[in-house]
């Protein structure tokens, strides 16, 4: 069993920055990929960014160049640095983890943290 706890969400103005953190605990030895999904009301869920244990990354086209994902393997923590935030970034952000390197169907989900960007 793996537990994921997100933090760092909140309200920011357009153009601002925010950093999300996610700490994994439990049977974390089996985790490879970690990342972030987001979902806004009435919108489809989308993968925002992902990173493997080895450091390979992938980003959604809508956030590429603005967001940066990173991780600290020793702390079992993944981060999402969000810069130049836009109102359309408003969503619940979910930390995810998987035993493999792909996050199409993550094995573990966090509870989510709300990010609201005002204009």
């Amino acid at each position: 069993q793996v537990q994921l706890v997100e933090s760092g969400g909140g309200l920011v103005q357009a153009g601002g920055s925010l950093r999300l953190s996610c700490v994994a605990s439990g049977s974390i030895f089996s985790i490879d990929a970690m990342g972030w999904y987001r979902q806004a009301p009435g919108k489809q869920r989308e993968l925002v960014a992902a990173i493997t244990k080895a450091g390979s990354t992938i980003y959604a086209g809508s956030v590429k160049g603005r967001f940066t994902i990173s991780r600290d393997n020793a702390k079992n923590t993944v981060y999402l640095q969000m810069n130049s935030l836009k109102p359309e970034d408003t969503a619940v952000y979910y930390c995810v983890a998987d035993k493999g390197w792909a996050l199409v169907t993550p094995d573990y989900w966090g509870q989510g943290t709300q990010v609201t960007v005002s204009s």
Side-chain angles (χ1 to χ4, degrees):
Q1 184 65 39
V2 173
Q3 294 80 43
L4 304 173
V5 180
E6 305 100 330
S7 63
L11 174 65
V12 298
Q13 292 192 338
S17 298
L18 204 63
R19 188 177 78 158
L20 305 183
S21 299
C22 173
V23 180
S25 62
S27 302
I28 50 82
F29 65 90
S30 62
I31 293 175
D32 190 328
M34 295 186 72
W36 298 88
Y37 272 83
R38 69 182 180 185
Q39 187 165 33
K43 300 288 186 179
Q44 65 181 13
R45 183 186 65 193
E46 66 172 338
L47 178 66
V48 178
I51 184 169
T52 67
K53 195 171 184 178
S56 297
T57 60
I58 189 170
Y59 296 91
S62 59
V63 307
K64 189 175 182 180
R66 299 188 296 119
F67 292 8
T68 302
I69 189 169
S70 62
R71 68 190 290 175
D72 185 332
N73 291 330
K75 296 181 179 179
N76 299 310
T77 302
V78 63
Y79 306 93
L80 185 66
Q81 180 65 48
M82 310 163 69
N83 298 326
S84 301
L85 284 162
K86 304 175 180 179
E88 49 263 47
D89 294 319
T90 296
V92 176
Y93 285 70
Y94 296 91
C95 179
V96 295
D98 198 85
K99 295 179 180 179
W101 56 266
L103 286 171
V104 178
T105 53
D107 294 318
Y108 306 102
W109 291 75
Q111 292 290 338
T113 185
Q114 178 70 46
V115 172
T116 302
V117 184
S118 64
S119 59

